[in-house]
Each structure stands twice: as structure tokens, then as C-alpha cells.
């Protein structure tokens, strides 16, 4: 059955402390009986036993089991072979301490493919009865005594009906009584199975073994059949043979008598009191009193050496309660659902301290979500974050401040129109519905576009206006207003509620007729109003982006001193010409009649447009005594805008044609930039420092979270080394241990990460609701939650399985020899 040919194994090979622990060993073993390996410590007995049992590898030579060369198989195949053919009994028991006696034995049946619960119960109960441990089947292994634990180990070894039993010092940790009982069980097993026994006890080997192999320094020095007289001179510690005592005294008290047996009596006075059914003994401190609860047995006879009768009557049916014709094959203990289910059970069985440590995983998930939400929020650049103008606009420098530049650019194919300066204006969305809010407005920066450039199909709410003061506002601006929460304070919640409301741009009032959906900060004005709007409205620097002032206080208009008081006569109101005529030509101006004595008609005044002084064309009067503006032609207003602007805004008909239009403008000798590209680059540059701070904060939070997870995972792994070693030793495959740990890690991640991510998201939502300006700081989407969970799961799996992977590279014997990995 088992054959070894020239087997060699070294410890610390090719190092100064090299040990040749198995030295050119060749051996053939029988089908049944007990083969005892004897020899001094360090002689190679356990190493040879582990090699035969597939628990350890060898450096050279061959080990055959049923003509299968064990030394040429991969570790997985070795596990399959030893699961089917070999049972293990260890000196240190190697039980799963947290599991019940029943589960420790049932495990090996599941490993060989028996899944029927009734079959498992009947087989396990039979094996437990056979070794005298059935009454303890529901206790955990850690609650048993040494002798009881070894009986469980034997039941586990024989339950799967192996043909070979590997027993490494099975009585090394037992007292004499348990030693005999355990060896009797092993002897019974050996009637039809091969038991390879390592022991230091020469007497035990001589009595029980059918063959004795002695080793020294890795070599076999003796191999003999044990045909000696089978008698064992082995005094059991719990048995007292009364007739072997030299001294005996008896005192009769009538209804009671006292017998004294002694091997040596010290001078002493012993008092015995019987009261109330209790026996009290006072030895004056001379003797230790042992009562009948000490498992001692008094035998009224002389001691005699043990003979074969102590085990010959024992019997064990190897195939009892196993399926008929069943052939053992390794079966995986875990599938994905079983792994996860067992993972939850494992967590439920955690001790309070380990359960408390799960709080750390929970807070790690909160930190991780915040970190990723902030990181994605900083990296998620949305249109409202950076767009300052319509996507259709290009910007061309006009350092010479000439109208010719506008005319030249307007003639380029693909250009719809041009305007001096920027298209940006400040818009006051009026919120004056109530007396308390009679002067309230939400101020928002926007980019004006001619209404003719908007298709009716792009209006998603309301309609494209046809009146002179009707406008369309893009939904992006409406969304930004809603995010401010200010409109909600007067009862505006829906987009439709903005239809019919008024806005003010400069000194003009418009009515919202529709809402577009271009995802751009656009406001569409009647064509004739666009040039006037950008000329009269308060201007903002393009690099600053759209201006926002979400509040109930209207922002005061900012006006350039050089243009203060200059207005378009075409948009006059409440004035009457008293003398002269209205301005008709460029640089003509109508002034208040109060100035008639200061400047005659046809004369210039100190007010300039560009480098040209204005010429008085007439005088006006007004009912407003404070009105003192200068009224000029619309073209003069345009010249004023050109004079005060270093750039020209060019509207391209189709956004997709911007590249071609840019190239045409460059060919004319002008520099040109795409507003969208410019704004995005400016935003990224301005946002870089903030992004860095977010990423640093996120990195710190993630590092703290991951460090905590690592420490807890590492601690959990270290506490499981004995369990892992035991499972590998009894034949559980590596993949099943990986599956077991994976299920536990997924279960831990599910019960800690999901609530942690939920709390992190809830807190982030509350922060954004309380501080709308921080909305861009977080990305609170389901995708971020899923990514956070997957990141935590991946990290937990990496941290949890990495040390397991290192450990799995060792042989089962190496795992058992070290528990400090």
C-alpha cells in the first residue's frame, strides 16, 4: 500500500545549520496493523510521518500510496488523495475549538462529498459512541478535557473510513488512564486499517504495535516485526490495588468500620467525623485528602500487567452508516452562497470585543465615502461650474478699438453676429411678490444671445416669445437659482413657475416666456436688444465667470466712470426736447436744459466717447429733477462700447463650426480663442489649489480608513492561524479556505460598509442642503456609493487574503509547526 524509495529531506538546506532530517529512507508498509516509529527527539519520526501523510514535502525520492507517486503530485491532487485515504490524529488534537464536537467530525464527511444531513448525523453519532464521547457532542471542543479532545480527534480521523491513520504522539498530552483508553481505540482501528504511530513510549509501542521501526538522525536503524509477548507493565494512575500495600489495619465500630491501607505512615493524628450524611477528615495538614470525585478506583487485588484482553473485545464497523458503495472524493465545502452565509454566522459568533472592532470598519466606510465624494466632486466639472458665456461664442482681441474689426469679423462665413466686449451681463431675477420682498432679486451672471439663434424646438418650458420684451432663459440658470433655495422662500419650486416673471438687465425690464435646455448660461433677448443690453448692463470680467448674488438684496450696478450718464436716445423715457433737436449723428448729444448756459448747441462738451468729445444737438427737460443723463445715438453707444472694450465676441452659427471659423479668423491675422476652452482652462487653473487640498484631505481620510481596516484584518488573521492550520492539516483544500475567508470578508464589508456609506452620503446631503455653495464639493450619486463599496471590498479582500496567500504557500506541516506567522 505505502512504499518509500530513497527519500531525502533537509531543513535549512545549504546553510551552516543544515539538518538531514530524512536520510535515504526506503520502506514498505502493510495494509493493516500498527507500525510504530520510535527514536529520540530530532530523529526524524514526525517529519517522516508528515511526508507519508502528505502534510510535508520531501527534497528527493518517491513516496507511493496505491502505486500513486505522492511526491510527483501537485498540492491540490495531494489534498484529494489524503482526503480520500488518510485520517489524522495529532498530539495537540488540532480541533476547531469554536465548533461543536459534532461539527468537528461532520466536517470531514462533507469534505468527501457526503451532503445528506441524516447520513452525516448517523455516521458522526456512531463514531462518537465508538470512542465514548457521544454525550459531549453538543459541547464546543474548547470545553473538553485533553482525553476527551483526543477522542474527538480519533472520531474525526475514522469517520470518513480512511485506509491509513496517521497518529503523531496521540497520547503525548494524556494521563495514563486516557493513554490506555485512546490506544485501545487505535488498536481496534488497526484490525483492518494501517495505523502509522509516532511515540516516545517504548512500552506502549511494544504492547500495541505489530511492527516497530526505529530511527536516529534521519536513518532507519531497525525495522522489525513485534512478535514479543503482548503484556504491558503500565500502572494506571487512577487505579489503586489494595493488596499491594504492605500495611493494612481495620477497626470495626459496629454499624461502620474503617480500613487503613498504607505504604508508609507518618506520625499523625487523623480525625474522621460523620454528620448529616457528610464525611469530614482532618489530617492535621499531613496528608492531602482525595475523595471519590477524583476519578480514583480502588481494586481489591494485586496489580497485574495488562494483556491483549483489554482491547480484543472492542469492535468498530468501518462502513457503518455510510452510503452503500460510496467512494470518497473531495468535495468543496463552500460555494458563493454558503461562503457568505457562513461568513454571517462567523460574525454572529464573534466575541463582544471583536464585534466592537467592526465599528472601526463602519467609520472607515464613512471616511472613505467622504473622501471619494470630495475627490469626485472636485474632479467632476459641470457646465455651471465654469461656463461664463454661450458655447457658440469666440473671443477676438480688439486692441485698436476700431469698428472695422467688428465689420471684418462679421463677414466671416459661419459668423452670425459680433458684439463689442463680452456677451456677459448681470441679470436680476425679480422676487418682489410680497411686500416684505418688494425690492428682492436673485442676481445671476448670464451670456446674452440673439433670440433668432434659438430654435423653437430647444424651448422645453413655455414658448419662444414674439413680443418686444419677451425672453428665454436657459435651464442651467434656472437650476442654479433653485439650488440657492432663495426662490423657494417665496414659493417658487418648479421651472414652470418662472414663466411670466420679470428680470432686469441694466435699466431694462424683460419677461420670461420660455426656458431652453442648452446647458449653457444663456439668456435669449430680441435681436435688437442684444447690443444695447451688453452696452448698458453692468459688465463683469470674463475670467471671473458668471456672477452670483443669491439673496434678497439687489446688487447695485457697477458702471464705468467714463460712461456714466450716457444713454441711448432710442430708449428714452419721460423727457421732452425744449430746444434744438435729437441726436442724429455720431457723437451728438442731448443734454439737460440746466446746462444751456454752459454749452451752446453745436459746441463740444467735456464728456467723451473714446477720444472724441460730444457735440450738443439740443436740450431736454424731465419731470425727474435728479435726471442728468447724456442721450446719444445707438451707434454712438456702440462706439462707446468699442472704445471701452479690448475684445470682440463672435457668435458662431453652429457650435460644431467653431474650428473652421477660428481658422478663418486666424487667416485674417487675428488671434482668437474659444470661450468654452478658455473658461474651462481658467476654471481648472483656479481650481487646482482647491483640488489639491481636497485630494490631500481625501487621501488622509482614506489612509486612516485603510490603516484601520488593515490593522483589524491583520488582527483577525492572526487570531485564525490555528484554525487555518487545522483545516489544512485535516485536508481542506486551499481554495476552500480562500472561499471561507472571502465569504467572511464580504459579509463584514456588507454589514459595515453599506451603513457607513449610507451615513456618509446622508451627512454630505445635509451639508449641501445647509450650505448650497458647497454643492460642487461633493458628488452624492449612487455611482460614488457603489465605487466606495467596491473599493472597500477590494481593499478588504486584498488585506484579508494577502497574509492568507503567504501562509497557503507553506505545507500543512509547516503551518502546524508555526503559529506566529
Amino acid at each position: 500500500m505505502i512504499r518509500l524509495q530513497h527519500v531525502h529531506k533537509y531543513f535549512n538546506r545549504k546553510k551552516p545549520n543544515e539538518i538531514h532530517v530524512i536520510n535515504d529512507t526506503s520502506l514498505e508498509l502493510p495494509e493493516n496493523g500498527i507500525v510504530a516509529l520510535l527514536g529520540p527527539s530530532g530523529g526524524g519520526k514526525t517529519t517522516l510521518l508528515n511526508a507519508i501523510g502528505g502534510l510535508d514535502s520531501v527534497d528527493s525520492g518517491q513516496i507511493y500510496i496505491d502505486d500513486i507517486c505522492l511526491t510527483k503530485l501537485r498540492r491540490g491532487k495531494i489534498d484529494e488523495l489524503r482526503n480520500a485515504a488518510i485520517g489524522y490524529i495529532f498530539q495537540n488534537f488540532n480541533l476547531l475549538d469554536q465548533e461543536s464536537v459534532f461539527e468537528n467530525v461532520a466536517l470531514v464527511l462533507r469534505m468527501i462529498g457526503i451532503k445528506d444531513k441524516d447520513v452525516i448525523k448517523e455516521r458522526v453519532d456512531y463514531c462518537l459512541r465508538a470512542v465514548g464521547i457521544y454525550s459531549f457532542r453538543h459541547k464546543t471542543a474548547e470545553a473538553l478535557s485533553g482525553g476527551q479532545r483526543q477522542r474527538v480527534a480519533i472520531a474525526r480521523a475514522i469517520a470518513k473510513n480512511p485506509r491509513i491513520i496517521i497518529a503523531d504522539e496521540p497520547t503525548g498530552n494524556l494521563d495514563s488512564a486516557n493513554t490506555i483508553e485512546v490506544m485501545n481505540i487505535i488498536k481496534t482501528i488497526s484490525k483492518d486499517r494501517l495505523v502509522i504511530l509516532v511515540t516516545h513510549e517504548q512500552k506502549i509501542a511494544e504492547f500495541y504495535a505489530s511492527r516497530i521501526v526505529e530511527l536516529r538522525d534521519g536513518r532507519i536503524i531497525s525495522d522489525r516485526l513485534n512478535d514479543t509477548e503482548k503484556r504491558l507493565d503500565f500502572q494506571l494512575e487512577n487505579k489503586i490495588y489494595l493488596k499491594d500495600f504492605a500495611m493494612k489495619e481495620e477497626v470495626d465500630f459496629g454499624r461502620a468500620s474503617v480500613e487503613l491501607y498504607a505504604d508508609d505512615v507518618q506520625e499523625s493524628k487523623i480525625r474522621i467525623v460523620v454528620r448529616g450524611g457528610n464525611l469530614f477528615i482532618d489530617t492535621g495538614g499531613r496528608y492531602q485528602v482525595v475523595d471519590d470525585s477524583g476519578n480514583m478506583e480502588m481494586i481489591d487485588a494485586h496489580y497485574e500487567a495488562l494483556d491483549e484482553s483489554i482491547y480484543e473485545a472492542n469492535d468498530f464497523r468501518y462502513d457503518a452508516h455510510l452510503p452503500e458503495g460510496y467512494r470518497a472524493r473531495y468535495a468543496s465545502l463552500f460555494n458563493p452562497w454558503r461562503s457568505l452565509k457562513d461568513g454571517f454566522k462567523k460574525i454572529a459568533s464573534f466575541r463582544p470585543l471583536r464585534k466592537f472592532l467592526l465599528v472601526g470598519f463602519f467609520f472607515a466606510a464613512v471616511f472613505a465615502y467622504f473622501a471619494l465624494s470630495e475627490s469626485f466632486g472636485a474632479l467632476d466639472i459641470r457646465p455651471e461650474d465654469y461656463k461664463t458665456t454661450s458655447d457658440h461664442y469666440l473671443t477676438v482681441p480688439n486692441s485698436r478699438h476700431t469698428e472695422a474689426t467688428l465689420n471684418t469679423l462679421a463677414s466671416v462665413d459661419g459668423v452670425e453676429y459680433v458684439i463689442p466686449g463680452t456677451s456677459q451681463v448681470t441679470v436680476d431675477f425679480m422676487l418682489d411678490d410680497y411686500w416684505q420682498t418688494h425690492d428682492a432679486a436673485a442676481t445671476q451672471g448670464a451670456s446674452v444671445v440673439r433670440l433668432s439663434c434659438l430654435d423653437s424646438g430647444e424651448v422645453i418650458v413655455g414658448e419662444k416669445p414674439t413680443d418686444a420684451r419677451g425672453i428665454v432663459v436657459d435651464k442651467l440658470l434656472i437650476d442654479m437659482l433653485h439650488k440657492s433655495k432663495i426662490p423657494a422662500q417665496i414659493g417658487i419650486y418648479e421651472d414652470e413657475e418662472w414663466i411670466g416673471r420679470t428680470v432686469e438687465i441694466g435699466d431694462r425690464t424683460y419677461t420670461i416666456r420660455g426656458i431652453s435646455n442648452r446647458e449653457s448660461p444663456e439668456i435669449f433677448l430680441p435681436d435688437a436688444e442684444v447690443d444695447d443690453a451688453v452696452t448698458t448692463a453692468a459688465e463683469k470680467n470674463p475670467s471671473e465667470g458668471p456672477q452670483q448674488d443669491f439673496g434678497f438684496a439687489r446688487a447695485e450696478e457697477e458702471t464705468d466712470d467714463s460712461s456714466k450718464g450716457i444713454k441711448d436716445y432710442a430708449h428714452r423715457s419721460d423727457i421732452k426736447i425744449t430746444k434744438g433737436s435729437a441726436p442724429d449723428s455720431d457723437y451728438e448729444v442731448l443734454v439737460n436744459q440746466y446746462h444751456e448756459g454752459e454749452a451752446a448747441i453745436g459746441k463740444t462738451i467735456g464728456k467723451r466717447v473714446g477720444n472724441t468729445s460730444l457735440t450738443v444737438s439740443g436740450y431736454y427737460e424731465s419731470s425727474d429733477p435728479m435726471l442728468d443723463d447724456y442721450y446719444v445715438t445707438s451707434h454712438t453707444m456702440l462706439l462707446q462700447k468699442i472704445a471701452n472694450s479690448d475684445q470682440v465676441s463672435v457668435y458662431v452659427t453652429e457650435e460644431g463650426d467653431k474650428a473652421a471659423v477660428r481658422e478663418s479668423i486666424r487667416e485674417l491675422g487675428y488671434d482668437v480663442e474659444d470661450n468654452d476652452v478658455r473658461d474651462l482652462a481658467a476654471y481648472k487653473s483656479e481650481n487646482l489649489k482647491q483640488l489639491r487640498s481636497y485630494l490631500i484631505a481625501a487621501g488622509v481620510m482614506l489612509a486612516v480608513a485603510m490603516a484601520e481596516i488593515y490593522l483589524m484584518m491583520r488582527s483577525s488573521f492572526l487570531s485564525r492561524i490555528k484554525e487555518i492550520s487545522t483545516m489544512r492539516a485535516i485536508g481542506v483544500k486551499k481554495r476552500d479556505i480562500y472561499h471561507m475567508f472571502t465569504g467572511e470578508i464580504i459579509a463584514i464589508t456588507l454589514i459595515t460598509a453599506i451603513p457607513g456609506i449610507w451615513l456618509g452620503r446622508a451627512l454630505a446631503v445635509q451639508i449641501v442642503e445647509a450650505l448650497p455653495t458647497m454643492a460642487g464639493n461633493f458628488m452624492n450619486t449612487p455611482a460614488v456609493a457603489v465605487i466606495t463599496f467596491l473599493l472597500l471590498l477590494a481593499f478588504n479582500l486584498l488585506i484579508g487574503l494577502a497574509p492568507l496567500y503567504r501562509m497557503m504557500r507553506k505545507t500543512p506541516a509547516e503551518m502546524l509547526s508555526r503559529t506566529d506567522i
Side-chain angles (χ1 to χ4, degrees), residues 353-382:
L353 179 59
R354 289 195 67 187
K355 288 182 178 178
F356 179 75
L357 289 178
L358 295 179
V359 177
F361 283 81
F362 169 80
F363 283 109
V366 176
F367 292 151
Y369 180 81
F370 261 97
L372 289 177
S373 180
E374 279 195 319
S375 298
F376 283 117
L379 294 171
D380 178 39
I381 301 176
R382 294 161 293 183

Coordinates of all heavy atoms in Angstrom, one line a residue, residues 353-382:
L353 N -15.7 41.9 22.0 CA -14.6 42.8 21.6 C -14.5 42.8 20.1 O -14.3 43.9 19.5 CB -13.3 42.4 22.3 CG -12.1 43.2 22.0 CD1 -12.4 44.7 22.4 CD2 -10.9 42.7 22.7
R354 N -14.5 41.7 19.5 CA -14.3 41.6 18.0 C -15.5 42.3 17.3 O -15.4 42.9 16.3 CB -14.2 40.2 17.5 CG -12.8 39.6 17.9 CD -12.6 38.3 17.1 NE -12.4 38.6 15.7 CZ -12.3 37.7 14.8 NH1 -12.3 36.4 15.1 NH2 -12.1 38.0 13.5
K355 N -16.7 42.1 17.9 CA -17.9 42.8 17.3 C -17.7 44.3 17.4 O -18.1 45.1 16.5 CB -19.2 42.3 18.0 CG -19.6 40.9 17.6 CD -20.9 40.6 18.3 CE -21.3 39.2 17.9 NZ -22.6 38.7 18.6
F356 N -17.2 44.7 18.6 CA -17.0 46.2 18.7 C -16.0 46.7 17.7 O -16.1 47.9 17.2 CB -16.4 46.4 20.2 CG -16.2 47.9 20.4 CD1 -17.2 48.8 20.6 CD2 -14.9 48.4 20.5 CE1 -17.0 50.1 20.9 CE2 -14.6 49.7 20.7 CZ -15.7 50.6 20.9
L357 N -15.0 45.9 17.4 CA -14.0 46.4 16.4 C -14.6 46.6 15.0 O -14.1 47.4 14.2 CB -12.9 45.3 16.2 CG -11.9 45.2 17.4 CD1 -10.9 44.1 17.2 CD2 -11.2 46.5 17.7
L358 N -15.8 46.0 14.8 CA -16.5 46.2 13.5 C -16.9 47.7 13.3 O -17.1 48.2 12.2 CB -17.7 45.3 13.3 CG -17.4 43.8 13.3 CD1 -18.7 43.0 13.2 CD2 -16.5 43.5 12.1
V359 N -17.0 48.4 14.5 CA -17.4 49.8 14.4 C -16.3 50.5 13.7 O -16.6 51.5 13.0 CB -17.5 50.4 15.9 CG1 -17.8 51.9 15.8 CG2 -18.7 49.7 16.6
G360 N -15.1 50.1 13.8 CA -14.0 50.7 13.0 C -14.2 50.6 11.5 O -13.9 51.6 10.8
F361 N -14.7 49.4 11.1 CA -15.0 49.3 9.7 C -16.1 50.2 9.2 O -16.0 50.8 8.1 CB -15.4 47.8 9.4 CG -14.3 46.8 9.3 CD1 -13.8 46.3 10.5 CD2 -13.8 46.4 8.1 CE1 -12.7 45.4 10.5 CE2 -12.8 45.5 8.1 CZ -12.2 45.0 9.3
F362 N -17.1 50.4 10.1 CA -18.2 51.3 9.8 C -17.7 52.7 9.6 O -18.0 53.4 8.6 CB -19.2 51.3 11.0 CG -20.3 52.3 10.9 CD1 -21.4 52.1 10.1 CD2 -20.2 53.4 11.7 CE1 -22.3 53.1 10.0 CE2 -21.1 54.4 11.6 CZ -22.2 54.2 10.8
F363 N -16.9 53.2 10.5 CA -16.4 54.6 10.4 C -15.4 54.7 9.2 O -15.3 55.8 8.6 CB -15.8 55.1 11.7 CG -16.8 55.5 12.7 CD1 -17.0 54.7 13.8 CD2 -17.6 56.6 12.6 CE1 -17.9 55.0 14.8 CE2 -18.5 57.0 13.5 CZ -18.7 56.2 14.6
A364 N -14.7 53.6 8.9 CA -13.8 53.7 7.8 C -14.6 53.9 6.5 O -14.2 54.6 5.6 CB -13.0 52.4 7.7
A365 N -15.8 53.2 6.5 CA -16.6 53.4 5.3 C -17.2 54.8 5.2 O -17.2 55.4 4.1 CB -17.8 52.4 5.4
V366 N -17.5 55.5 6.3 CA -17.9 56.9 6.3 C -16.8 57.7 5.8 O -17.0 58.6 4.9 CB -18.3 57.3 7.8 CG1 -18.7 58.8 7.7 CG2 -19.5 56.5 8.3
F367 N -15.6 57.6 6.3 CA -14.5 58.4 5.8 C -14.2 58.1 4.3 O -13.9 59.1 3.6 CB -13.2 58.0 6.6 CG -13.3 58.4 8.1 CD1 -12.6 57.7 9.1 CD2 -14.0 59.5 8.5 CE1 -12.6 58.1 10.4 CE2 -14.1 59.9 9.8 CZ -13.4 59.2 10.7
A368 N -14.3 56.9 3.9 CA -14.0 56.5 2.5 C -15.0 57.2 1.6 O -14.6 57.7 0.6 CB -14.0 55.0 2.3
Y369 N -16.3 57.2 2.0 CA -17.3 57.8 1.2 C -17.0 59.3 1.1 O -17.1 59.9 0.0 CB -18.7 57.6 1.7 CG -19.7 58.2 0.8 CD1 -20.1 57.6 -0.4 CD2 -20.2 59.5 1.1 CE1 -21.0 58.2 -1.2 CE2 -21.1 60.1 0.2 CZ -21.5 59.4 -0.9 OH -22.4 60.1 -1.7
F370 N -16.7 60.0 2.2 CA -16.5 61.4 2.2 C -15.3 61.7 1.3 O -15.3 62.7 0.5 CB -16.2 61.9 3.6 CG -17.4 62.6 4.2 CD1 -18.2 61.9 5.1 CD2 -17.7 63.9 3.9 CE1 -19.3 62.5 5.7 CE2 -18.8 64.5 4.5 CZ -19.6 63.8 5.4
A371 N -14.2 60.9 1.4 CA -13.0 61.1 0.7 C -13.3 61.0 -0.8 O -12.9 61.9 -1.6 CB -11.9 60.2 1.1
L372 N -14.0 59.9 -1.2 CA -14.2 59.7 -2.6 C -15.3 60.8 -3.2 O -15.1 61.2 -4.3 CB -14.8 58.3 -2.9 CG -13.7 57.2 -2.7 CD1 -14.3 55.9 -2.9 CD2 -12.6 57.4 -3.7
S373 N -16.3 61.1 -2.3 CA -17.3 62.1 -2.8 C -16.6 63.4 -3.0 O -16.9 64.1 -4.0 CB -18.4 62.2 -1.7 OG -19.3 63.1 -2.1
E374 N -15.7 63.8 -2.1 CA -15.0 65.1 -2.3 C -14.1 65.0 -3.5 O -14.0 66.0 -4.3 CB -14.2 65.4 -1.1 CG -15.0 66.0 0.1 CD -14.1 66.7 1.1 OE1 -13.1 66.0 1.4 OE2 -14.4 67.7 1.6
S375 N -13.4 63.9 -3.7 CA -12.5 63.8 -4.8 C -13.2 63.8 -6.1 O -12.9 64.6 -7.0 CB -11.7 62.4 -4.7 OG -10.9 62.4 -3.6
F376 N -14.3 63.0 -6.2 CA -15.1 63.1 -7.5 C -15.7 64.4 -7.7 O -15.9 64.9 -8.8 CB -16.1 61.9 -7.5 CG -15.6 60.6 -7.7 CD1 -15.6 59.6 -6.8 CD2 -14.9 60.3 -9.0 CE1 -15.1 58.3 -7.1 CE2 -14.4 59.1 -9.2 CZ -14.5 58.1 -8.3
G377 N -16.2 65.0 -6.5 CA -16.8 66.4 -6.6 C -15.8 67.4 -7.2 O -16.2 68.2 -8.0
A378 N -14.5 67.3 -6.8 CA -13.5 68.2 -7.3 C -13.2 67.9 -8.7 O -12.9 68.8 -9.5 CB -12.3 68.1 -6.4
L379 N -13.2 66.6 -9.1 CA -12.9 66.3 -10.5 C -14.1 66.4 -11.4 O -13.9 66.4 -12.7 CB -12.4 64.8 -10.5 CG -11.0 64.6 -9.8 CD1 -10.7 63.1 -9.7 CD2 -9.9 65.3 -10.5
D380 N -15.3 66.4 -10.9 CA -16.5 66.5 -11.7 C -16.8 68.0 -12.1 O -17.3 68.7 -11.3 CB -17.7 65.9 -10.9 CG -19.0 66.0 -11.7 OD1 -18.9 65.8 -13.0 OD2 -20.0 66.3 -11.1
I381 N -16.4 68.3 -13.2 CA -16.5 69.7 -13.7 C -17.8 69.8 -14.5 O -17.9 69.2 -15.6 CB -15.3 70.2 -14.5 CG1 -14.1 70.1 -13.6 CG2 -15.5 71.6 -15.0 CD1 -12.8 70.4 -14.4
R382 N -18.8 70.5 -14.0 CA -20.1 70.6 -14.7 C -20.2 71.9 -15.4 O -19.4 72.9 -15.0 CB -21.2 70.5 -13.7 CG -21.3 69.1 -13.0 CD -22.1 69.1 -11.8 NE -21.4 69.8 -10.7 CZ -21.8 69.9 -9.5 NH1 -23.0 69.3 -9.1 NH2 -21.2 70.6 -8.6

